[in-house]
Amino acid sequence: MNFSLHPTLETDTHPLFVNADCHLLLHKNATLPWLILVPHTRETELHALEISEAEKVLGRCRKVSAWIQAFFDCPKVNFASIGNLVPQMHLHMVGRKPGDACWPKPVWGHLTETSTYTETLLAQIRGEVAPILDSIS
């Protein structure tokens, strides 16, 4: 399948990991740890995937969510598949903790602060998440 990222996802994120099955992206706003998994599929809805494919996608999301909790010390990870403005299937995993920039509200429409990742931190994140996703076949 010829796959390309939606332009909004390309603009708003840092690429962390790419293989034949998916892209893992990091939202450029470093105020909250916000990762986005983009499965390489023409389907736009998670429930439309074949069971085996959905299990693989959700397995990746589970691994990434656990990593977010550990790396960023977040007791909660919000998980969403929205796609109202970006019709390409993409799954959001956002680390949350009491007192964060939006707590306890959802990030959508409430994240007004902005900050950026350093190149050093981006390299560290890439180095840690790649092996996690590479281990899932």
Side-chain angles (χ1 to χ4, degrees):
M1 172 176 75
N2 188 9
F3 183 86
S4 61
L5 279 176
H6 188 278
T8 300
L9 292 173
E10 278 190 345
T11 301
D12 292 349
T13 64
H14 298 287
L16 296 179
F17 175 85
V18 179
N19 71 7
D21 297 326
C22 69
H23 278 65
L24 182 65
L25 311 169
L26 177 66
H27 199 288
K28 284 184 178 175
N29 187 346
T31 303
L32 296 171
W34 186 334
L35 282 78
I36 302 166
L37 184 81
V38 185
H40 295 178
T41 180
R42 288 186 176 89
E43 298 292 351
T44 59
E45 302 296 331
L46 185 59
H47 68 267
L49 293 175
E50 294 292 328
I51 295 295
S52 61
E53 185 61 23
E55 287 174 349
K56 184 187 286 188
V57 168
L58 290 174
R60 286 189 168 109
C61 290
R62 289 179 58 203
K63 295 271 189 178
V64 170
S65 293
W67 178 83
I68 290 169
Q69 283 188 299
F71 187 84
F72 292 100
D73 191 29
C74 295
K76 176 79 176 125
V77 174
N78 291 169
F79 178 80
S81 172
I82 299 175
N84 294 339
L85 298 176
V86 176
Q88 183 172 57
M89 185 187 299
H90 61 289
L91 306 163
H92 300 266
M93 293 156 282
V94 184
R96 303 297 309 274
K97 60 176 100 177
D100 72 27
C102 301
W103 190 265
K105 297 175 182 170
V107 295
W108 288 272
H110 299 283
L111 184 57
T112 57
E113 295 179 27
T114 59
S115 64
T116 57
Y117 288 97
T118 65
E119 288 302 319
T120 302
L121 183 54
L122 274 173
Q124 182 182 4
I125 291 168
R126 284 186 181 110
E128 289 203 18
V129 297
I132 293 168
L133 290 178
D134 241 355
S135 69
I136 302 172
S137 55

